[in-house]
Amino acid sequence: MNQLHISENIVRLRRERKITQEELADFIGVTKAAVSKWENGQTTPDILLLPRLASFFDVTIDELLGYEAHLSREQIRRCYMELCRDFVNLPFPEAWEKVRSTARCYYSCYPLLLQLSILYLNHFMLAGTEGDSRQVLGDAILLCDRILEGCRDMGLCADAAVVKAMLHLQLNAPSEAIGLLEPSEETSHLSLQNSTGAILLQAYLMSGETEKARDHAQIRHYLHLLSLVSDAIQLLTIYTDDLKRCEEIMRRTQGVIDLYHLKQLHPNLVSQYYYQAALTYAQNEDADHALDMLLRFEHCVNSLLSQEHITLHGDSYFDRLDPWIEQLPLGDHVPRDKAFARQSAIEALSHPAFSILKEREEFRSLTFIHF
């Protein structure tokens, strides 16, 4: 994160131009002592002098101040990961204020604001009270609104609308989420009947851009697989009272997971699937199968936590993913700190449905997830 460094910049710019403090003072119309105090950080130039200083050094005022209104992709990643760690290591109010301060400082850097809203979405549950949790979610919605009102990047706005809908769901306002998303999901739209991604793939092939076509096709293939597993998780929640259908959903989904080695490619998503499958069995009072799924859940979580850094990656089949992953807003980093992921996994086992397993030794050992 960049801070204002006007004193250091004045020293650097003056020395680059090989001029003395007296020469700078004469041009600006101040004393040598005033310039010395600027450079020592004892005082700062009067705001009315900034245009003259910037003109003298042939830089913009922002460059003179050391201020950047927009952060690079790498700066956004570092900022997100730093704030993510803060939510784990600092008192929640302190971490919350750091996010607020960052948003105020870079209020026109829309890609950063989107990541801050996602950061809130991933950590609001750490707030001490329900009121604070709702206020954190409200802060995130305001960031999404800022993007939707001021940003001209359609893709970024679409992402902001999705995040805003997810925030409304956390606030128990499903009608707000429906209002945001339903128009874009209308099944009569050509965008759903003829996927824009498929059209773009055809255009690449017709223009002879074979490598781009291969990249695009593989990324789409990968994302469709992740969507399939995500949809299966939702289907299990919808059909909880129909165990026979749920078991067929699990059979088919497990086939996809095994065939494409998704436990290695995306253990976080697969762990969510196993958790929901365990919950489905537990809610149907099938203790043995629930425990089996929880053991698989534990294996995926431990696979994540055993890594020094939790990262996304391709494999020998998905051999074109890594460059694309690197271009994602957070690169190959996942959006939650490892310690927070572990705590979340442990807390997930407190669901009332798992009470049927509380006397099982295998279940009790799950609450001490090792890595």
Side-chain angles (χ1 to χ4, degrees), residues 1 79 82-83 86 90 92-104 116 120:
M1 297 298 295
C79 174
E82 176 186 332
L83 293 171
D86 287 340
L90 298 178
F92 187 85
E94 188 175 338
W96 184 7
E97 181 52 38
K98 286 188 69 173
V99 180
R100 284 177 156 178
S101 177
T102 301
R104 288 193 294 267
L116 294 183
Y120 276 143

Side-chain angles (χ1 to χ4, degrees), residues 317-329:
Y317 179 76
F318 288 107
D319 56 354
R320 292 174 173 264
L321 286 186
D322 289 346
W324 168 73
I325 289 172
E326 179 57 29
Q327 295 302 309
L328 296 175

Side-chain angles (χ1 to χ4, degrees), residues 48-96:
L48 296 177
L49 296 178
L50 294 181
R52 195 180 305 176
L53 275 167
S55 175
F56 179 78
F57 290 125
D58 192 24
V59 296
T60 67
I61 292 177
D62 280 354
E63 289 172 324
L64 178 67
L65 295 174
Y67 172 71
E68 295 183 33
H70 298 276
L71 299 183
S72 67
R73 179 186 290 112
E74 185 55 38
Q75 287 173 317
I76 291 173
R77 290 175 186 173
R78 289 201 303 268
C79 174
Y80 184 98
M81 299 313 297
E82 176 186 332
L83 293 171
C84 191
R85 288 190 294 270
D86 287 340
F87 273 117
V88 175
N89 299 320
L90 298 178
F92 187 85
E94 188 175 338
W96 184 7

Side-chain angles (χ1 to χ4, degrees), residues 218 259-261 264-265 313-322:
Q218 188 175 113
L259 182 62
Y260 287 96
H261 303 161
Q264 289 74 41
L265 283 172
H313 56 81
D315 63 8
S316 59
Y317 179 76
F318 288 107
D319 56 354
R320 292 174 173 264
L321 286 186
D322 289 346

Side-chain angles (χ1 to χ4, degrees), residues 185-312:
E185 292 293 313
E186 174 55 52
T187 54
S188 63
H189 289 176
L190 288 174
S191 60
L192 287 185
Q193 293 179 25
N194 299 294
S195 169
T196 55
I199 295 171
L200 179 58
L201 178 59
Q202 184 179 5
Y204 282 144
L205 291 171
M206 290 178 66
S207 64
E209 298 184 77
T210 305
E211 292 305 305
K212 280 190 176 182
R214 288 173 176 172
D215 289 342
H216 189 66
Q218 188 175 113
I219 292 165
R220 278 170 48 80
H221 187 32
Y222 172 75
L223 292 176
H224 285 321
L225 286 170
L226 299 187
S227 293
L228 191 152
V229 176
S230 295
D231 289 345
I233 294 171
Q234 297 301 320
L235 284 169
L236 290 177
T237 65
I238 294 169
Y239 288 106
T240 300
D241 59 348
D242 186 346
L243 184 57
K244 183 178 179 180
R245 180 183 284 270
C246 284
E247 288 186 317
E248 182 61 16
I249 293 169
M250 293 179 205
R251 186 183 70 81
R252 297 187 183 211
T253 306
Q254 188 63 55
V256 171
I257 290 171
D258 292 340
L259 182 62
Y260 287 96
H261 303 161
L262 293 184
K263 280 196 293 186
Q264 289 74 41
L265 283 172
H266 209 303
N268 184 48
L269 177 62
V270 176
S271 70
Q272 294 174 48
Y273 162 73
Y274 284 139
Y275 176 79
Q276 188 58 51
L279 190 58
T280 299
Y281 276 123
Q283 290 169 329
N284 283 275
E285 300 185 347
D286 186 335
D288 289 338
H289 283 102
L291 186 58
D292 175 58
M293 289 298 177
L294 281 179
L295 289 170
R296 300 187 191 198
F297 168 70
E298 182 192 34
H299 183 269
C300 286
V301 172
N302 285 340
S303 174
L304 284 167
L305 299 179
S306 65
Q307 303 175 35
E308 182 177 355
H309 301 290
I310 304 175
T311 58
L312 300 174

